[in-house]
Amino acid sequence: MDMTPMIDCVFLLIIFFMIVSDMSQQDLAEIKLPVAKMAQKDENEEGRMIVNIHPNGEIEIKRQRYASLDTADAQNALRSYLANEVSKGKKDEKGLSERSLLVRADMTTQFKEVQKVMQICGEKGIQIYKVHLAASENKQ
Amino acid sequence: MAKHEIPEVTMDLTPMIDCVFLLLIFFMVSMKFRVLEGKLVTELPKDRGVNAGEIIDVLEKLEIDIKKDPSREYGLAVYINSQLQQNLSTFEARLRDLKLQSPDQKATLYPQIGVNYEQVVKVVDSCLSANLTDITFAGVVKDA
């Protein structure tokens, strides 16, 4: 039996799935984002950090889930992640990081949880001011 | 001289096909389609936290308070400099007027306890829709 056409098809399928499955989305947790009509297209800019916040306030960074930011463990995890990432990037003359942070919170998450992330962003050694809010693009 | 017959050589493709099928199953199972996501571009105040007092704004910023109010649209009440806005449409219209009066107008959002992410996103969305792009967030959580 000539197997060549079948092998061709299977290789094509593999190539298709390799291209379609976007490994860069590994940082994106399964949460429901609110719709915003003015949402800009999110281009995955280089060095952009992502923090996911679940409805119960738990945070998720690079597929690692932590408790809410009321706990010291979660605060320290976020601090060390941000400080580590910021140290790799450029800073302006005032010492503020030029890298941006995308906050992806579930639509039902209390905004105070986002504000806790923002507070940590302003701490010494982190100083991120480009904090963007994730939203779904309005397709209507 | 005896004539040598060349034996037919066949390659066993079974292990390769096994591997290829395993790869195919892996990619099919781990596949996640690209989600259409966007972002609202906002910034934190540069003159807060460790940089307090370094930047002085000449232009007065608008203070936008966001409070939880289940009786209203999206369950939120929006205030511009302590003045309650009827709904998000009137809020947006007011912002447009203010933006026309002073094109460099800036705004600071004060979401209060009980307000959720969707409600803040709706307010930010209205601000951006009214062409008010210079938005910052108050870093401190205010009590209701």
Side-chain angles (χ1 to χ4, degrees), chain B residues 74-100:
Chain B
Y74 298 114
L76 67 100
V78 194
Y79 298 76
I80 300 176
N81 293 339
S82 305
Q83 280 190 320
L84 176 65
Q85 305 300 304
Q86 236 174 0
N87 53 39
L88 280 180
S89 305
T90 51
F91 167 68
E92 198 178 310
R94 178 82 186 116
L95 286 183
R96 272 184 210 280
D97 289 345
L98 292 166
K99 182 76 182 171
L100 280 175

mmCIF file with all atom_site columns, all heavy atoms in Angstrom, chain B residues 74-100:
data_model
loop_
_atom_site.group_PDB
_atom_site.id
_atom_site.type_symbol
_atom_site.label_atom_id
_atom_site.label_alt_id
_atom_site.label_comp_id
_atom_site.label_asym_id
_atom_site.label_entity_id
_atom_site.label_seq_id
_atom_site.pdbx_PDB_ins_code
_atom_site.Cartn_x
_atom_site.Cartn_y
_atom_site.Cartn_z
_atom_site.occupancy
_atom_site.B_iso_or_equiv
_atom_site.pdbx_formal_charge
_atom_site.auth_seq_id
_atom_site.auth_comp_id
_atom_site.auth_asym_id
_atom_site.auth_atom_id
_atom_site.pdbx_PDB_model_num
ATOM 1   N N   . TYR B 1 74  ? -25.343 49.607 34.195 1.00 0.00 ? 74  TYR B N   1
ATOM 2   C CA  . TYR B 1 74  ? -24.110 48.881 34.530 1.00 0.00 ? 74  TYR B CA  1
ATOM 3   C C   . TYR B 1 74  ? -23.846 48.833 36.042 1.00 0.00 ? 74  TYR B C   1
ATOM 4   O O   . TYR B 1 74  ? -22.753 48.493 36.475 1.00 0.00 ? 74  TYR B O   1
ATOM 5   C CB  . TYR B 1 74  ? -22.881 49.460 33.813 1.00 0.00 ? 74  TYR B CB  1
ATOM 6   C CG  . TYR B 1 74  ? -22.955 49.372 32.308 1.00 0.00 ? 74  TYR B CG  1
ATOM 7   C CD1 . TYR B 1 74  ? -23.040 50.526 31.537 1.00 0.00 ? 74  TYR B CD1 1
ATOM 8   C CD2 . TYR B 1 74  ? -22.970 48.142 31.667 1.00 0.00 ? 74  TYR B CD2 1
ATOM 9   C CE1 . TYR B 1 74  ? -23.134 50.446 30.149 1.00 0.00 ? 74  TYR B CE1 1
ATOM 10  C CE2 . TYR B 1 74  ? -23.058 48.058 30.282 1.00 0.00 ? 74  TYR B CE2 1
ATOM 11  C CZ  . TYR B 1 74  ? -23.142 49.207 29.530 1.00 0.00 ? 74  TYR B CZ  1
ATOM 12  O OH  . TYR B 1 74  ? -23.224 49.127 28.171 1.00 0.00 ? 74  TYR B OH  1
ATOM 13  N N   . GLY B 1 75  ? -24.832 49.226 36.835 1.00 0.00 ? 75  GLY B N   1
ATOM 14  C CA  . GLY B 1 75  ? -24.687 49.177 38.297 1.00 0.00 ? 75  GLY B CA  1
ATOM 15  C C   . GLY B 1 75  ? -23.656 50.138 38.837 1.00 0.00 ? 75  GLY B C   1
ATOM 16  O O   . GLY B 1 75  ? -23.022 49.865 39.856 1.00 0.00 ? 75  GLY B O   1
ATOM 17  N N   . LEU B 1 76  ? -23.494 51.279 38.166 1.00 0.00 ? 76  LEU B N   1
ATOM 18  C CA  . LEU B 1 76  ? -22.485 52.222 38.643 1.00 0.00 ? 76  LEU B CA  1
ATOM 19  C C   . LEU B 1 76  ? -22.960 53.663 38.539 1.00 0.00 ? 76  LEU B C   1
ATOM 20  O O   . LEU B 1 76  ? -23.774 54.008 37.679 1.00 0.00 ? 76  LEU B O   1
ATOM 21  C CB  . LEU B 1 76  ? -21.168 52.045 37.877 1.00 0.00 ? 76  LEU B CB  1
ATOM 22  C CG  . LEU B 1 76  ? -21.114 52.382 36.403 1.00 0.00 ? 76  LEU B CG  1
ATOM 23  C CD1 . LEU B 1 76  ? -20.496 53.754 36.179 1.00 0.00 ? 76  LEU B CD1 1
ATOM 24  C CD2 . LEU B 1 76  ? -20.268 51.356 35.686 1.00 0.00 ? 76  LEU B CD2 1
ATOM 25  N N   . ALA B 1 77  ? -22.446 54.477 39.448 1.00 0.00 ? 77  ALA B N   1
ATOM 26  C CA  . ALA B 1 77  ? -22.720 55.913 39.429 1.00 0.00 ? 77  ALA B CA  1
ATOM 27  C C   . ALA B 1 77  ? -21.393 56.620 39.165 1.00 0.00 ? 77  ALA B C   1
ATOM 28  O O   . ALA B 1 77  ? -20.395 56.305 39.816 1.00 0.00 ? 77  ALA B O   1
ATOM 29  C CB  . ALA B 1 77  ? -23.300 56.352 40.766 1.00 0.00 ? 77  ALA B CB  1
ATOM 30  N N   . VAL B 1 78  ? -21.406 57.547 38.206 1.00 0.00 ? 78  VAL B N   1
ATOM 31  C CA  . VAL B 1 78  ? -20.165 58.245 37.854 1.00 0.00 ? 78  VAL B CA  1
ATOM 32  C C   . VAL B 1 78  ? -20.294 59.718 38.213 1.00 0.00 ? 78  VAL B C   1
ATOM 33  O O   . VAL B 1 78  ? -21.311 60.351 37.949 1.00 0.00 ? 78  VAL B O   1
ATOM 34  C CB  . VAL B 1 78  ? -19.862 58.120 36.332 1.00 0.00 ? 78  VAL B CB  1
ATOM 35  C CG1 . VAL B 1 78  ? -18.441 58.543 36.038 1.00 0.00 ? 78  VAL B CG1 1
ATOM 36  C CG2 . VAL B 1 78  ? -20.094 56.719 35.836 1.00 0.00 ? 78  VAL B CG2 1
ATOM 37  N N   . TYR B 1 79  ? -19.264 60.246 38.806 1.00 0.00 ? 79  TYR B N   1
ATOM 38  C CA  . TYR B 1 79  ? -19.234 61.646 39.210 1.00 0.00 ? 79  TYR B CA  1
ATOM 39  C C   . TYR B 1 79  ? -18.060 62.343 38.539 1.00 0.00 ? 79  TYR B C   1
ATOM 40  O O   . TYR B 1 79  ? -16.961 61.779 38.478 1.00 0.00 ? 79  TYR B O   1
ATOM 41  C CB  . TYR B 1 79  ? -19.040 61.767 40.722 1.00 0.00 ? 79  TYR B CB  1
ATOM 42  C CG  . TYR B 1 79  ? -20.150 61.149 41.558 1.00 0.00 ? 79  TYR B CG  1
ATOM 43  C CD1 . TYR B 1 79  ? -20.245 59.771 41.729 1.00 0.00 ? 79  TYR B CD1 1
ATOM 44  C CD2 . TYR B 1 79  ? -21.080 61.953 42.203 1.00 0.00 ? 79  TYR B CD2 1
ATOM 45  C CE1 . TYR B 1 79  ? -21.249 59.209 42.505 1.00 0.00 ? 79  TYR B CE1 1
ATOM 46  C CE2 . TYR B 1 79  ? -22.097 61.394 42.982 1.00 0.00 ? 79  TYR B CE2 1
ATOM 47  C CZ  . TYR B 1 79  ? -22.172 60.027 43.125 1.00 0.00 ? 79  TYR B CZ  1
ATOM 48  O OH  . TYR B 1 79  ? -23.170 59.480 43.886 1.00 0.00 ? 79  TYR B OH  1
ATOM 49  N N   . ILE B 1 80  ? -18.305 63.553 38.025 1.00 0.00 ? 80  ILE B N   1
ATOM 50  C CA  . ILE B 1 80  ? -17.188 64.377 37.541 1.00 0.00 ? 80  ILE B CA  1
ATOM 51  C C   . ILE B 1 80  ? -17.047 65.519 38.524 1.00 0.00 ? 80  ILE B C   1
ATOM 52  O O   . ILE B 1 80  ? -17.985 66.303 38.698 1.00 0.00 ? 80  ILE B O   1
ATOM 53  C CB  . ILE B 1 80  ? -17.444 64.932 36.121 1.00 0.00 ? 80  ILE B CB  1
ATOM 54  C CG1 . ILE B 1 80  ? -17.630 63.790 35.122 1.00 0.00 ? 80  ILE B CG1 1
ATOM 55  C CG2 . ILE B 1 80  ? -16.288 65.832 35.692 1.00 0.00 ? 80  ILE B CG2 1
ATOM 56  C CD1 . ILE B 1 80  ? -17.974 64.263 33.710 1.00 0.00 ? 80  ILE B CD1 1
ATOM 57  N N   . ASN B 1 81  ? -15.910 65.608 39.164 1.00 0.00 ? 81  ASN B N   1
ATOM 58  C CA  . ASN B 1 81  ? -15.669 66.615 40.215 1.00 0.00 ? 81  ASN B CA  1
ATOM 59  C C   . ASN B 1 81  ? -16.862 66.690 41.180 1.00 0.00 ? 81  ASN B C   1
ATOM 60  O O   . ASN B 1 81  ? -17.433 67.753 41.404 1.00 0.00 ? 81  ASN B O   1
ATOM 61  C CB  . ASN B 1 81  ? -15.368 67.984 39.603 1.00 0.00 ? 81  ASN B CB  1
ATOM 62  C CG  . ASN B 1 81  ? -14.042 67.981 38.863 1.00 0.00 ? 81  ASN B CG  1
ATOM 63  O OD1 . ASN B 1 81  ? -13.176 67.136 39.103 1.00 0.00 ? 81  ASN B OD1 1
ATOM 64  N ND2 . ASN B 1 81  ? -13.880 68.906 37.945 1.00 0.00 ? 81  ASN B ND2 1
ATOM 65  N N   . SER B 1 82  ? -17.256 65.537 41.674 1.00 0.00 ? 82  SER B N   1
ATOM 66  C CA  . SER B 1 82  ? -18.348 65.370 42.655 1.00 0.00 ? 82  SER B CA  1
ATOM 67  C C   . SER B 1 82  ? -19.753 65.594 42.096 1.00 0.00 ? 82  SER B C   1
ATOM 68  O O   . SER B 1 82  ? -20.725 65.577 42.849 1.00 0.00 ? 82  SER B O   1
ATOM 69  C CB  . SER B 1 82  ? -18.150 66.269 43.895 1.00 0.00 ? 82  SER B CB  1
ATOM 70  O OG  . SER B 1 82  ? -16.902 66.027 44.447 1.00 0.00 ? 82  SER B OG  1
ATOM 71  N N   . GLN B 1 83  ? -19.880 65.841 40.806 1.00 0.00 ? 83  GLN B N   1
ATOM 72  C CA  . GLN B 1 83  ? -21.219 66.023 40.208 1.00 0.00 ? 83  GLN B CA  1
ATOM 73  C C   . GLN B 1 83  ? -21.669 64.704 39.588 1.00 0.00 ? 83  GLN B C   1
ATOM 74  O O   . GLN B 1 83  ? -20.991 64.175 38.684 1.00 0.00 ? 83  GLN B O   1
ATOM 75  C CB  . GLN B 1 83  ? -21.168 67.102 39.131 1.00 0.00 ? 83  GLN B CB  1
ATOM 76  C CG  . GLN B 1 83  ? -21.206 68.509 39.708 1.00 0.00 ? 83  GLN B CG  1
ATOM 77  C CD  . GLN B 1 83  ? -21.389 69.555 38.615 1.00 0.00 ? 83  GLN B CD  1
ATOM 78  O OE1 . GLN B 1 83  ? -20.801 69.443 37.547 1.00 0.00 ? 83  GLN B OE1 1
ATOM 79  N NE2 . GLN B 1 83  ? -22.198 70.556 38.907 1.00 0.00 ? 83  GLN B NE2 1
ATOM 80  N N   . LEU B 1 84  ? -22.800 64.219 40.055 1.00 0.00 ? 84  LEU B N   1
ATOM 81  C CA  . LEU B 1 84  ? -23.308 62.933 39.562 1.00 0.00 ? 84  LEU B CA  1
ATOM 82  C C   . LEU B 1 84  ? -23.768 63.065 38.106 1.00 0.00 ? 84  LEU B C   1
ATOM 83  O O   . LEU B 1 84  ? -24.473 63.998 37.746 1.00 0.00 ? 84  LEU B O   1
ATOM 84  C CB  . LEU B 1 84  ? -24.475 62.469 40.450 1.00 0.00 ? 84  LEU B CB  1
ATOM 85  C CG  . LEU B 1 84  ? -25.174 61.181 40.017 1.00 0.00 ? 84  LEU B CG  1
ATOM 86  C CD1 . LEU B 1 84  ? -24.246 59.982 40.109 1.00 0.00 ? 84  LEU B CD1 1
ATOM 87  C CD2 . LEU B 1 84  ? -26.413 60.928 40.888 1.00 0.00 ? 84  LEU B CD2 1
ATOM 88  N N   . GLN B 1 85  ? -23.375 62.105 37.286 1.00 0.00 ? 85  GLN B N   1
ATOM 89  C CA  . GLN B 1 85  ? -23.791 62.068 35.881 1.00 0.00 ? 85  GLN B CA  1
ATOM 90  C C   . GLN B 1 85  ? -24.933 61.064 35.749 1.00 0.00 ? 85  GLN B C   1
ATOM 91  O O   . GLN B 1 85  ? -24.904 60.007 36.377 1.00 0.00 ? 85  GLN B O   1
ATOM 92  C CB  . GLN B 1 85  ? -22.612 61.656 34.993 1.00 0.00 ? 85  GLN B CB  1
ATOM 93  C CG  . GLN B 1 85  ? -21.374 62.518 35.162 1.00 0.00 ? 85  GLN B CG  1
ATOM 94  C CD  . GLN B 1 85  ? -21.610 63.978 34.834 1.00 0.00 ? 85  GLN B CD  1
ATOM 95  O OE1 . GLN B 1 85  ? -22.046 64.313 33.730 1.00 0.00 ? 85  GLN B OE1 1
ATOM 96  N NE2 . GLN B 1 85  ? -21.338 64.861 35.801 1.00 0.00 ? 85  GLN B NE2 1
ATOM 97  N N   . GLN B 1 86  ? -25.912 61.417 34.921 1.00 0.00 ? 86  GLN B N   1
ATOM 98  C CA  . GLN B 1 86  ? -27.120 60.594 34.834 1.00 0.00 ? 86  GLN B CA  1
ATOM 99  C C   . GLN B 1 86  ? -26.824 59.170 34.366 1.00 0.00 ? 86  GLN B C   1
ATOM 100 O O   . GLN B 1 86  ? -27.277 58.199 34.945 1.00 0.00 ? 86  GLN B O   1
ATOM 101 C CB  . GLN B 1 86  ? -28.112 61.250 33.879 1.00 0.00 ? 86  GLN B CB  1
ATOM 102 C CG  . GLN B 1 86  ? -29.426 61.488 34.554 1.00 0.00 ? 86  GLN B CG  1
ATOM 103 C CD  . GLN B 1 86  ? -30.374 62.269 33.673 1.00 0.00 ? 86  GLN B CD  1
ATOM 104 O OE1 . GLN B 1 86  ? -30.054 62.646 32.548 1.00 0.00 ? 86  GLN B OE1 1
ATOM 105 N NE2 . GLN B 1 86  ? -31.547 62.526 34.203 1.00 0.00 ? 86  GLN B NE2 1
ATOM 106 N N   . ASN B 1 87  ? -26.072 59.063 33.301 1.00 0.00 ? 87  ASN B N   1
ATOM 107 C CA  . ASN B 1 87  ? -25.665 57.750 32.786 1.00 0.00 ? 87  ASN B CA  1
ATOM 108 C C   . ASN B 1 87  ? -24.359 57.910 32.015 1.00 0.00 ? 87  ASN B C   1
ATOM 109 O O   . ASN B 1 87  ? -23.806 59.009 31.945 1.00 0.00 ? 87  ASN B O   1
ATOM 110 C CB  . ASN B 1 87  ? -26.766 57.125 31.915 1.00 0.00 ? 87  ASN B CB  1
ATOM 111 C CG  . ASN B 1 87  ? -27.219 58.060 30.814 1.00 0.00 ? 87  ASN B CG  1
ATOM 112 O OD1 . ASN B 1 87  ? -26.398 58.761 30.226 1.00 0.00 ? 87  ASN B OD1 1
ATOM 113 N ND2 . ASN B 1 87  ? -28.508 58.091 30.552 1.00 0.00 ? 87  ASN B ND2 1
ATOM 114 N N   . LEU B 1 88  ? -23.906 56.828 31.423 1.00 0.00 ? 88  LEU B N   1
ATOM 115 C CA  . LEU B 1 88  ? -22.613 56.886 30.743 1.00 0.00 ? 88  LEU B CA  1
ATOM 116 C C   . LEU B 1 88  ? -22.655 57.771 29.495 1.00 0.00 ? 88  LEU B C   1
ATOM 117 O O   . LEU B 1 88  ? -21.643 58.370 29.128 1.00 0.00 ? 88  LEU B O   1
ATOM 118 C CB  . LEU B 1 88  ? -22.144 55.472 30.368 1.00 0.00 ? 88  LEU B CB  1
ATOM 119 C CG  . LEU B 1 88  ? -21.509 54.658 31.500 1.00 0.00 ? 88  LEU B CG  1
ATOM 120 C CD1 . LEU B 1 88  ? -21.084 53.294 31.001 1.00 0.00 ? 88  LEU B CD1 1
ATOM 121 C CD2 . LEU B 1 88  ? -20.319 55.376 32.122 1.00 0.00 ? 88  LEU B CD2 1
ATOM 122 N N   . SER B 1 89  ? -23.826 57.882 28.863 1.00 0.00 ? 89  SER B N   1
ATOM 123 C CA  . SER B 1 89  ? -23.937 58.732 27.667 1.00 0.00 ? 89  SER B CA  1
ATOM 124 C C   . SER B 1 89  ? -23.790 60.205 28.033 1.00 0.00 ? 89  SER B C   1
ATOM 125 O O   . SER B 1 89  ? -23.069 60.961 27.358 1.00 0.00 ? 89  SER B O   1
ATOM 126 C CB  . SER B 1 89  ? -25.286 58.521 26.979 1.00 0.00 ? 89  SER B CB  1
ATOM 127 O OG  . SER B 1 89  ? -25.470 57.176 26.700 1.00 0.00 ? 89  SER B OG  1
ATOM 128 N N   . THR B 1 90  ? -24.463 60.619 29.109 1.00 0.00 ? 90  THR B N   1
ATOM 129 C CA  . THR B 1 90  ? -24.348 62.026 29.527 1.00 0.00 ? 90  THR B CA  1
ATOM 130 C C   . THR B 1 90  ? -22.935 62.303 30.058 1.00 0.00 ? 90  THR B C   1
ATOM 131 O O   . THR B 1 90  ? -22.395 63.390 29.861 1.00 0.00 ? 90  THR B O   1
ATOM 132 C CB  . THR B 1 90  ? -25.387 62.383 30.608 1.00 0.00 ? 90  THR B CB  1
ATOM 133 O OG1 . THR B 1 90  ? -25.310 61.425 31.642 1.00 0.00 ? 90  THR B OG1 1
ATOM 134 C CG2 . THR B 1 90  ? -26.787 62.402 30.055 1.00 0.00 ? 90  THR B CG2 1
ATOM 135 N N   . PHE B 1 91  ? -22.365 61.294 30.690 1.00 0.00 ? 91  PHE B N   1
ATOM 136 C CA  . PHE B 1 91  ? -20.990 61.406 31.193 1.00 0.00 ? 91  PHE B CA  1
ATOM 137 C C   . PHE B 1 91  ? -20.035 61.650 30.018 1.00 0.00 ? 91  PHE B C   1
ATOM 138 O O   . PHE B 1 91  ? -19.188 62.555 30.058 1.00 0.00 ? 91  PHE B O   1
ATOM 139 C CB  . PHE B 1 91  ? -20.637 60.117 31.934 1.00 0.00 ? 91  PHE B CB  1
ATOM 140 C CG  . PHE B 1 91  ? -19.184 59.934 32.251 1.00 0.00 ? 91  PHE B CG  1
ATOM 141 C CD1 . PHE B 1 91  ? -18.541 60.742 33.171 1.00 0.00 ? 91  PHE B CD1 1
ATOM 142 C CD2 . PHE B 1 91  ? -18.452 58.917 31.638 1.00 0.00 ? 91  PHE B CD2 1
ATOM 143 C CE1 . PHE B 1 91  ? -17.195 60.561 33.459 1.00 0.00 ? 91  PHE B CE1 1
ATOM 144 C CE2 . PHE B 1 91  ? -17.115 58.729 31.929 1.00 0.00 ? 91  PHE B CE2 1
ATOM 145 C CZ  . PHE B 1 91  ? -16.486 59.552 32.839 1.00 0.00 ? 91  PHE B CZ  1
ATOM 146 N N   . GLU B 1 92  ? -20.234 60.871 28.967 1.00 0.00 ? 92  GLU B N   1
ATOM 147 C CA  . GLU B 1 92  ? -19.378 60.983 27.782 1.00 0.00 ? 92  GLU B CA  1
ATOM 148 C C   . GLU B 1 92  ? -19.562 62.356 27.116 1.00 0.00 ? 92  GLU B C   1
ATOM 149 O O   . GLU B 1 92  ? -18.582 62.985 26.715 1.00 0.00 ? 92  GLU B O   1
ATOM 150 C CB  . GLU B 1 92  ? -19.737 59.848 26.816 1.00 0.00 ? 92  GLU B CB  1
ATOM 151 C CG  . GLU B 1 92  ? -18.687 59.588 25.774 1.00 0.00 ? 92  GLU B CG  1
ATOM 152 C CD  . GLU B 1 92  ? -19.069 58.409 24.872 1.00 0.00 ? 92  GLU B CD  1
ATOM 153 O OE1 . GLU B 1 92  ? -19.426 57.342 25.408 1.00 0.00 ? 92  GLU B OE1 1
ATOM 154 O OE2 . GLU B 1 92  ? -18.998 58.574 23.656 1.00 0.00 ? 92  GLU B OE2 1
ATOM 155 N N   . ALA B 1 93  ? -20.820 62.794 27.033 1.00 0.00 ? 93  ALA B N   1
ATOM 156 C CA  . ALA B 1 93  ? -21.108 64.095 26.415 1.00 0.00 ? 93  ALA B CA  1
ATOM 157 C C   . ALA B 1 93  ? -20.461 65.230 27.215 1.00 0.00 ? 93  ALA B C   1
ATOM 158 O O   . ALA B 1 93  ? -19.894 66.175 26.644 1.00 0.00 ? 93  ALA B O   1
ATOM 159 C CB  . ALA B 1 93  ? -22.623 64.301 26.332 1.00 0.00 ? 93  ALA B CB  1
ATOM 160 N N   . ARG B 1 94  ? -20.538 65.130 28.540 1.00 0.00 ? 94  ARG B N   1
ATOM 161 C CA  . ARG B 1 94  ? -19.937 66.156 29.416 1.00 0.00 ? 94  ARG B CA  1
ATOM 162 C C   . ARG B 1 94  ? -18.416 66.187 29.213 1.00 0.00 ? 94  ARG B C   1
ATOM 163 O O   . ARG B 1 94  ? -17.810 67.252 29.163 1.00 0.00 ? 94  ARG B O   1
ATOM 164 C CB  . ARG B 1 94  ? -20.289 65.827 30.871 1.00 0.00 ? 94  ARG B CB  1
ATOM 165 C CG  . ARG B 1 94  ? -19.711 66.763 31.892 1.00 0.00 ? 94  ARG B CG  1
ATOM 166 C CD  . ARG B 1 94  ? -20.532 68.038 32.046 1.00 0.00 ? 94  ARG B CD  1
ATOM 167 N NE  . ARG B 1 94  ? -19.871 68.980 32.947 1.00 0.00 ? 94  ARG B NE  1
ATOM 168 C CZ  . ARG B 1 94  ? -19.424 70.169 32.569 1.00 0.00 ? 94  ARG B CZ  1
ATOM 169 N NH1 . ARG B 1 94  ? -19.600 70.600 31.342 1.00 0.00 ? 94  ARG B NH1 1
ATOM 170 N NH2 . ARG B 1 94  ? -18.839 70.961 33.427 1.00 0.00 ? 94  ARG B NH2 1
ATOM 171 N N   . LEU B 1 95  ? -17.825 65.000 29.118 1.00 0.00 ? 95  LEU B N   1
ATOM 172 C CA  . LEU B 1 95  ? -16.375 64.924 28.910 1.00 0.00 ? 95  LEU B CA  1
ATOM 173 C C   . LEU B 1 95  ? -15.982 65.555 27.575 1.00 0.00 ? 95  LEU B C   1
ATOM 174 O O   . LEU B 1 95  ? -14.967 66.246 27.484 1.00 0.00 ? 95  LEU B O   1
ATOM 175 C CB  . LEU B 1 95  ? -15.899 63.469 28.943 1.00 0.00 ? 95  LEU B CB  1
ATOM 176 C CG  . LEU B 1 95  ? -15.832 62.775 30.303 1.00 0.00 ? 95  LEU B CG  1
ATOM 177 C CD1 . LEU B 1 95  ? -15.262 61.377 30.141 1.00 0.00 ? 95  LEU B CD1 1
ATOM 178 C CD2 . LEU B 1 95  ? -14.999 63.560 31.309 1.00 0.00 ? 95  LEU B CD2 1
ATOM 179 N N   . ARG B 1 96  ? -16.819 65.315 26.569 1.00 0.00 ? 96  ARG B N   1
ATOM 180 C CA  . ARG B 1 96  ? -16.538 65.913 25.247 1.00 0.00 ? 96  ARG B CA  1
ATOM 181 C C   . ARG B 1 96  ? -16.517 67.439 25.347 1.00 0.00 ? 96  ARG B C   1
ATOM 182 O O   . ARG B 1 96  ? -15.625 68.088 24.793 1.00 0.00 ? 96  ARG B O   1
ATOM 183 C CB  . ARG B 1 96  ? -17.623 65.498 24.242 1.00 0.00 ? 96  ARG B CB  1
ATOM 184 C CG  . ARG B 1 96  ? -17.336 64.207 23.540 1.00 0.00 ? 96  ARG B CG  1
ATOM 185 C CD  . ARG B 1 96  ? -18.417 63.915 22.492 1.00 0.00 ? 96  ARG B CD  1
ATOM 186 N NE  . ARG B 1 96  ? -18.575 62.491 22.338 1.00 0.00 ? 96  ARG B NE  1
ATOM 187 C CZ  . ARG B 1 96  ? -17.759 61.724 21.617 1.00 0.00 ? 96  ARG B CZ  1
ATOM 188 N NH1 . ARG B 1 96  ? -16.738 62.264 20.992 1.00 0.00 ? 96  ARG B NH1 1
ATOM 189 N NH2 . ARG B 1 96  ? -17.956 60.429 21.536 1.00 0.00 ? 96  ARG B NH2 1
ATOM 190 N N   . ASP B 1 97  ? -17.509 67.993 26.062 1.00 0.00 ? 97  ASP B N   1
ATOM 191 C CA  . ASP B 1 97  ? -17.568 69.447 26.252 1.00 0.00 ? 97  ASP B CA  1
ATOM 192 C C   . ASP B 1 97  ? -16.312 69.955 26.943 1.00 0.00 ? 97  ASP B C   1
ATOM 193 O O   . ASP B 1 97  ? -15.703 70.941 26.526 1.00 0.00 ? 97  ASP B O   1
ATOM 194 C CB  . ASP B 1 97  ? -18.790 69.827 27.118 1.00 0.00 ? 97  ASP B CB  1
ATOM 195 C CG  . ASP B 1 97  ? -20.099 69.629 26.364 1.00 0.00 ? 97  ASP B CG  1
ATOM 196 O OD1 . ASP B 1 97  ? -20.038 69.479 25.125 1.00 0.00 ? 97  ASP B OD1 1
ATOM 197 O OD2 . ASP B 1 97  ? -21.165 69.627 27.016 1.00 0.00 ? 97  ASP B OD2 1
ATOM 198 N N   . LEU B 1 98  ? -15.945 69.266 28.023 1.00 0.00 ? 98  LEU B N   1
ATOM 199 C CA  . LEU B 1 98  ? -14.776 69.696 28.791 1.00 0.00 ? 98  LEU B CA  1
ATOM 200 C C   . LEU B 1 98  ? -13.501 69.599 27.954 1.00 0.00 ? 98  LEU B C   1
ATOM 201 O O   . LEU B 1 98  ? -12.623 70.437 28.060 1.00 0.00 ? 98  LEU B O   1
ATOM 202 C CB  . LEU B 1 98  ? -14.639 68.843 30.063 1.00 0.00 ? 98  LEU B CB  1
ATOM 203 C CG  . LEU B 1 98  ? -15.731 69.062 31.114 1.00 0.00 ? 98  LEU B CG  1
ATOM 204 C CD1 . LEU B 1 98  ? -15.714 67.955 32.150 1.00 0.00 ? 98  LEU B CD1 1
ATOM 205 C CD2 . LEU B 1 98  ? -15.539 70.418 31.793 1.00 0.00 ? 98  LEU B CD2 1
ATOM 206 N N   . LYS B 1 99  ? -13.455 68.571 27.133 1.00 0.00 ? 99  LYS B N   1
ATOM 207 C CA  . LYS B 1 99  ? -12.284 68.368 26.275 1.00 0.00 ? 99  LYS B CA  1
ATOM 208 C C   . LYS B 1 99  ? -12.192 69.471 25.217 1.00 0.00 ? 99  LYS B C   1
ATOM 209 O O   . LYS B 1 99  ? -11.101 69.917 24.875 1.00 0.00 ? 99  LYS B O   1
ATOM 210 C CB  . LYS B 1 99  ? -12.395 66.980 25.616 1.00 0.00 ? 99  LYS B CB  1
ATOM 211 C CG  . LYS B 1 99  ? -11.257 66.593 24.733 1.00 0.00 ? 99  LYS B CG  1
ATOM 212 C CD  . LYS B 1 99  ? -10.019 66.187 25.500 1.00 0.00 ? 99  LYS B CD  1
ATOM 213 C CE  . LYS B 1 99  ? -8.892  65.857 24.535 1.00 0.00 ? 99  LYS B CE  1
ATOM 214 N NZ  . LYS B 1 99  ? -7.620  65.649 25.184 1.00 0.00 ? 99  LYS B NZ  1
ATOM 215 N N   . LEU B 1 100 ? -13.367 69.919 24.729 1.00 0.00 ? 100 LEU B N   1
ATOM 216 C CA  . LEU B 1 100 ? -13.381 71.013 23.756 1.00 0.00 ? 100 LEU B CA  1
ATOM 217 C C   . LEU B 1 100 ? -12.910 72.316 24.395 1.00 0.00 ? 100 LEU B C   1
ATOM 218 O O   . LEU B 1 100 ? -12.193 73.105 23.788 1.00 0.00 ? 100 LEU B O   1
ATOM 219 C CB  . LEU B 1 100 ? -14.797 71.201 23.189 1.00 0.00 ? 100 LEU B CB  1
ATOM 220 C CG  . LEU B 1 100 ? -15.227 70.229 22.091 1.00 0.00 ? 100 LEU B CG  1
ATOM 221 C CD1 . LEU B 1 100 ? -16.675 70.467 21.713 1.00 0.00 ? 100 LEU B CD1 1
ATOM 222 C CD2 . LEU B 1 100 ? -14.338 70.387 20.845 1.00 0.00 ? 100 LEU B CD2 1
#
